[in-house]
mmCIF file of all heavy atoms in Angstrom:
data_model
loop_
_atom_site.group_PDB
_atom_site.id
_atom_site.type_symbol
_atom_site.label_atom_id
_atom_site.label_comp_id
_atom_site.label_asym_id
_atom_site.label_seq_id
_atom_site.Cartn_x
_atom_site.Cartn_y
_atom_site.Cartn_z
ATOM 1 N N SER A 1 0.858 -1.183 -0.001
ATOM 2 C CA SER A 1 0.000 0.000 0.000
ATOM 3 C C SER A 1 0.896 1.237 0.000
ATOM 4 O O SER A 1 2.035 1.203 0.503
ATOM 5 C CB SER A 1 -0.931 0.026 1.218
ATOM 6 O OG SER A 1 -0.162 0.089 2.410
ATOM 7 N N ALA A 2 0.395 2.306 -0.579
ATOM 8 C CA ALA A 2 1.164 3.547 -0.645
ATOM 9 C C ALA A 2 0.218 4.739 -0.557
ATOM 10 O O ALA A 2 -0.884 4.716 -1.135
ATOM 11 C CB ALA A 2 1.967 3.614 -1.946
ATOM 12 N N ASN A 3 0.624 5.757 0.177
ATOM 13 C CA ASN A 3 -0.143 6.991 0.311
ATOM 14 C C ASN A 3 0.777 8.177 0.011
ATOM 15 O O ASN A 3 1.964 8.175 0.367
ATOM 16 C CB ASN A 3 -0.696 7.138 1.735
ATOM 17 C CG ASN A 3 -1.627 5.986 2.099
ATOM 18 O OD1 ASN A 3 -2.527 5.673 1.343
ATOM 19 N ND2 ASN A 3 -1.383 5.369 3.244
ATOM 20 N N TYR A 4 0.207 9.175 -0.651
ATOM 21 C CA TYR A 4 1.017 10.347 -0.995
ATOM 22 C C TYR A 4 0.138 11.592 -0.935
ATOM 23 O O TYR A 4 -0.923 11.638 -1.563
ATOM 24 C CB TYR A 4 1.603 10.183 -2.396
ATOM 25 C CG TYR A 4 2.528 11.294 -2.803
ATOM 26 C CD1 TYR A 4 3.792 11.407 -2.249
ATOM 27 C CD2 TYR A 4 2.118 12.235 -3.757
ATOM 28 C CE1 TYR A 4 4.646 12.425 -2.628
ATOM 29 C CE2 TYR A 4 2.962 13.259 -4.142
ATOM 30 C CZ TYR A 4 4.230 13.359 -3.571
ATOM 31 O OH TYR A 4 5.067 14.365 -3.953
ATOM 32 N N ASP A 5 0.600 12.583 -0.158
ATOM 33 C CA ASP A 5 -0.135 13.837 -0.044
ATOM 34 C C ASP A 5 0.225 14.729 -1.227
ATOM 35 O O ASP A 5 1.329 15.311 -1.277
ATOM 36 C CB ASP A 5 0.200 14.535 1.270
ATOM 37 C CG ASP A 5 -0.333 13.770 2.466
ATOM 38 O OD1 ASP A 5 -1.343 13.064 2.296
ATOM 39 O OD2 ASP A 5 0.269 13.851 3.544
ATOM 40 N N ILE A 6 -0.695 14.838 -2.165
ATOM 41 C CA ILE A 6 -0.456 15.675 -3.342
ATOM 42 C C ILE A 6 -0.600 17.154 -2.966
ATOM 43 O O ILE A 6 0.261 17.977 -3.263
ATOM 44 C CB ILE A 6 -1.448 15.317 -4.463
ATOM 45 C CG1 ILE A 6 -1.336 13.828 -4.815
ATOM 46 C CG2 ILE A 6 -1.195 16.164 -5.697
ATOM 47 C CD1 ILE A 6 -2.383 13.366 -5.796
ATOM 48 N N LEU A 7 -1.712 17.456 -2.296
ATOM 49 C CA LEU A 7 -2.028 18.812 -1.835
ATOM 50 C C LEU A 7 -2.551 18.711 -0.406
ATOM 51 O O LEU A 7 -2.890 17.608 0.060
ATOM 52 C CB LEU A 7 -3.088 19.446 -2.744
ATOM 53 C CG LEU A 7 -2.699 19.663 -4.220
ATOM 54 C CD1 LEU A 7 -3.940 20.048 -5.027
ATOM 55 C CD2 LEU A 7 -1.615 20.726 -4.344
ATOM 56 N N PRO A 8 -2.672 19.808 0.289
ATOM 57 C CA PRO A 8 -3.219 19.737 1.648
ATOM 58 C C PRO A 8 -4.611 19.106 1.698
ATOM 59 O O PRO A 8 -4.987 18.500 2.706
ATOM 60 C CB PRO A 8 -3.244 21.203 2.096
ATOM 61 C CG PRO A 8 -2.154 21.845 1.313
ATOM 62 C CD PRO A 8 -2.183 21.175 -0.024
ATOM 63 N N ASN A 9 -5.381 19.229 0.621
ATOM 64 C CA ASN A 9 -6.736 18.665 0.603
ATOM 65 C C ASN A 9 -6.879 17.504 -0.383
ATOM 66 O O ASN A 9 -7.977 17.183 -0.804
ATOM 67 C CB ASN A 9 -7.743 19.761 0.259
ATOM 68 C CG ASN A 9 -7.478 20.344 -1.119
ATOM 69 O OD1 ASN A 9 -6.418 20.104 -1.702
ATOM 70 N ND2 ASN A 9 -8.434 21.108 -1.622
ATOM 71 N N ALA A 10 -5.757 16.876 -0.729
ATOM 72 C CA ALA A 10 -5.811 15.754 -1.669
ATOM 73 C C ALA A 10 -4.740 14.733 -1.314
ATOM 74 O O ALA A 10 -3.543 15.014 -1.420
ATOM 75 C CB ALA A 10 -5.649 16.223 -3.110
ATOM 76 N N LYS A 11 -5.177 13.543 -0.878
ATOM 77 C CA LYS A 11 -4.259 12.449 -0.568
ATOM 78 C C LYS A 11 -4.493 11.312 -1.573
ATOM 79 O O LYS A 11 -5.624 10.831 -1.728
ATOM 80 C CB LYS A 11 -4.478 11.938 0.846
ATOM 81 C CG LYS A 11 -3.649 10.694 1.173
ATOM 82 C CD LYS A 11 -3.923 10.168 2.563
ATOM 83 C CE LYS A 11 -3.268 11.084 3.585
ATOM 84 N NZ LYS A 11 -3.353 10.502 4.959
ATOM 85 N N LEU A 12 -3.432 10.908 -2.239
ATOM 86 C CA LEU A 12 -3.499 9.784 -3.165
ATOM 87 C C LEU A 12 -3.198 8.505 -2.393
ATOM 88 O O LEU A 12 -2.213 8.449 -1.644
ATOM 89 C CB LEU A 12 -2.484 9.971 -4.299
ATOM 90 C CG LEU A 12 -2.463 8.891 -5.385
ATOM 91 C CD1 LEU A 12 -3.739 8.957 -6.218
ATOM 92 C CD2 LEU A 12 -1.228 9.067 -6.279
ATOM 93 N N TYR A 13 -4.043 7.506 -2.534
ATOM 94 C CA TYR A 13 -3.800 6.231 -1.836
ATOM 95 C C TYR A 13 -3.945 5.072 -2.826
ATOM 96 O O TYR A 13 -4.656 5.161 -3.826
ATOM 97 C CB TYR A 13 -4.746 6.055 -0.651
ATOM 98 C CG TYR A 13 -6.204 5.962 -0.983
ATOM 99 C CD1 TYR A 13 -6.823 4.734 -1.209
ATOM 100 C CD2 TYR A 13 -6.994 7.119 -1.028
ATOM 101 C CE1 TYR A 13 -8.179 4.662 -1.494
ATOM 102 C CE2 TYR A 13 -8.341 7.059 -1.312
ATOM 103 C CZ TYR A 13 -8.937 5.815 -1.550
ATOM 104 O OH TYR A 13 -10.276 5.744 -1.844
ATOM 105 N N SER A 14 -3.241 3.984 -2.540
ATOM 106 C CA SER A 14 -3.277 2.819 -3.435
ATOM 107 C C SER A 14 -3.019 1.543 -2.635
ATOM 108 O O SER A 14 -2.368 1.565 -1.579
ATOM 109 C CB SER A 14 -2.226 2.955 -4.547
ATOM 110 O OG SER A 14 -0.928 2.993 -4.005
ATOM 111 N N GLU A 15 -3.543 0.450 -3.162
ATOM 112 C CA GLU A 15 -3.321 -0.874 -2.586
ATOM 113 C C GLU A 15 -3.094 -1.858 -3.727
ATOM 114 O O GLU A 15 -3.677 -1.717 -4.811
ATOM 115 C CB GLU A 15 -4.538 -1.333 -1.772
ATOM 116 C CG GLU A 15 -4.910 -0.437 -0.616
ATOM 117 C CD GLU A 15 -6.220 -0.878 0.036
ATOM 118 O OE1 GLU A 15 -6.712 -1.976 -0.305
ATOM 119 O OE2 GLU A 15 -6.740 -0.116 0.855
ATOM 120 N N PHE A 16 -2.250 -2.832 -3.482
ATOM 121 C CA PHE A 16 -2.039 -3.894 -4.462
ATOM 122 C C PHE A 16 -1.791 -5.199 -3.724
ATOM 123 O O PHE A 16 -1.041 -5.228 -2.733
ATOM 124 C CB PHE A 16 -0.842 -3.592 -5.365
ATOM 125 C CG PHE A 16 -0.560 -4.689 -6.351
ATOM 126 C CD1 PHE A 16 -1.331 -4.824 -7.502
ATOM 127 C CD2 PHE A 16 0.466 -5.595 -6.126
ATOM 128 C CE1 PHE A 16 -1.080 -5.854 -8.402
ATOM 129 C CE2 PHE A 16 0.727 -6.620 -7.027
ATOM 130 C CZ PHE A 16 -0.046 -6.744 -8.170
ATOM 131 N N SER A 17 -2.420 -6.277 -4.208
ATOM 132 C CA SER A 17 -2.203 -7.589 -3.601
ATOM 133 C C SER A 17 -2.141 -8.657 -4.691
ATOM 134 O O SER A 17 -2.798 -8.557 -5.735
ATOM 135 C CB SER A 17 -3.316 -7.928 -2.598
ATOM 136 O OG SER A 17 -4.567 -8.020 -3.246
ATOM 137 N N PHE A 18 -1.343 -9.660 -4.443
ATOM 138 C CA PHE A 18 -1.176 -10.799 -5.345
ATOM 139 C C PHE A 18 -1.085 -12.058 -4.500
ATOM 140 O O PHE A 18 -0.350 -12.098 -3.509
ATOM 141 C CB PHE A 18 0.094 -10.640 -6.183
ATOM 142 C CG PHE A 18 0.503 -11.902 -6.910
ATOM 143 C CD1 PHE A 18 -0.068 -12.234 -8.127
ATOM 144 C CD2 PHE A 18 1.456 -12.751 -6.362
ATOM 145 C CE1 PHE A 18 0.303 -13.404 -8.793
ATOM 146 C CE2 PHE A 18 1.832 -13.915 -7.021
ATOM 147 C CZ PHE A 18 1.262 -14.239 -8.236
ATOM 148 N N HIS A 19 -1.847 -13.065 -4.894
ATOM 149 C CA HIS A 19 -1.806 -14.350 -4.192
ATOM 150 C C HIS A 19 -1.899 -15.471 -5.209
ATOM 151 O O HIS A 19 -2.651 -15.385 -6.187
ATOM 152 C CB HIS A 19 -2.954 -14.465 -3.174
ATOM 153 C CG HIS A 19 -2.881 -13.473 -2.065
ATOM 154 N ND1 HIS A 19 -2.136 -13.680 -0.922
ATOM 155 C CD2 HIS A 19 -3.443 -12.250 -1.934
ATOM 156 C CE1 HIS A 19 -2.247 -12.626 -0.137
ATOM 157 N NE2 HIS A 19 -3.044 -11.751 -0.724
ATOM 158 N N ASP A 20 -1.135 -16.507 -4.981
ATOM 159 C CA ASP A 20 -1.131 -17.673 -5.875
ATOM 160 C C ASP A 20 -1.088 -18.934 -5.026
ATOM 161 O O ASP A 20 -0.275 -19.031 -4.085
ATOM 162 C CB ASP A 20 0.082 -17.627 -6.806
ATOM 163 C CG ASP A 20 0.108 -18.804 -7.771
ATOM 164 O OD1 ASP A 20 -0.481 -18.702 -8.856
ATOM 165 O OD2 ASP A 20 0.724 -19.846 -7.433
ATOM 166 N N ASP A 21 -1.968 -19.874 -5.322
ATOM 167 C CA ASP A 21 -1.910 -21.170 -4.651
ATOM 168 C C ASP A 21 -1.967 -22.288 -5.680
ATOM 169 O O ASP A 21 -2.680 -22.202 -6.682
ATOM 170 C CB ASP A 21 -3.026 -21.317 -3.607
ATOM 171 C CG ASP A 21 -4.414 -21.381 -4.222
ATOM 172 O OD1 ASP A 21 -4.832 -22.474 -4.626
ATOM 173 O OD2 ASP A 21 -5.071 -20.331 -4.297
ATOM 174 N N HIS A 22 -1.195 -23.325 -5.448
ATOM 175 C CA HIS A 22 -1.058 -24.449 -6.381
ATOM 176 C C HIS A 22 -1.038 -25.743 -5.581
ATOM 177 O O HIS A 22 -0.292 -25.868 -4.607
ATOM 178 C CB HIS A 22 0.246 -24.311 -7.179
ATOM 179 C CG HIS A 22 0.494 -25.431 -8.131
ATOM 180 N ND1 HIS A 22 1.737 -25.931 -8.405
ATOM 181 C CD2 HIS A 22 -0.378 -26.171 -8.878
ATOM 182 C CE1 HIS A 22 1.653 -26.921 -9.275
ATOM 183 N NE2 HIS A 22 0.374 -27.087 -9.571
ATOM 184 N N THR A 23 -1.871 -26.688 -5.970
ATOM 185 C CA THR A 23 -1.936 -27.966 -5.268
ATOM 186 C C THR A 23 -2.242 -29.078 -6.258
ATOM 187 O O THR A 23 -2.865 -28.845 -7.297
ATOM 188 C CB THR A 23 -2.995 -27.943 -4.153
ATOM 189 O OG1 THR A 23 -2.984 -29.193 -3.451
ATOM 190 C CG2 THR A 23 -4.388 -27.710 -4.716
ATOM 191 N N VAL A 24 -1.788 -30.266 -5.930
ATOM 192 C CA VAL A 24 -2.013 -31.444 -6.773
ATOM 193 C C VAL A 24 -2.676 -32.521 -5.921
ATOM 194 O O VAL A 24 -2.142 -32.923 -4.873
ATOM 195 C CB VAL A 24 -0.697 -31.987 -7.365
ATOM 196 C CG1 VAL A 24 -0.969 -33.259 -8.172
ATOM 197 C CG2 VAL A 24 -0.038 -30.940 -8.252
ATOM 198 N N ALA A 25 -3.832 -32.959 -6.370
ATOM 199 C CA ALA A 25 -4.522 -34.081 -5.732
ATOM 200 C C ALA A 25 -4.240 -35.347 -6.531
ATOM 201 O O ALA A 25 -4.090 -35.305 -7.750
ATOM 202 C CB ALA A 25 -6.024 -33.817 -5.677
#
């Protein structure tokens, strides 16, 4: 996640997630 204050009244925020699962029956 990342946050950045562009202006006093504007905050840019972001999130990113990645998940991988692998199984063999």
Side-chain angles (χ1 to χ4, degrees):
S1 62
N3 300 310
Y4 184 73
D5 292 332
I6 303 174
L7 297 169
N9 61 347
K11 174 182 286 188
L12 182 69
Y13 64 92
S14 62
E15 300 173 10
F16 178 78
S17 63
F18 167 83
H19 296 275
D20 181 88
D21 67 84
H22 178 216
T23 183
V24 177

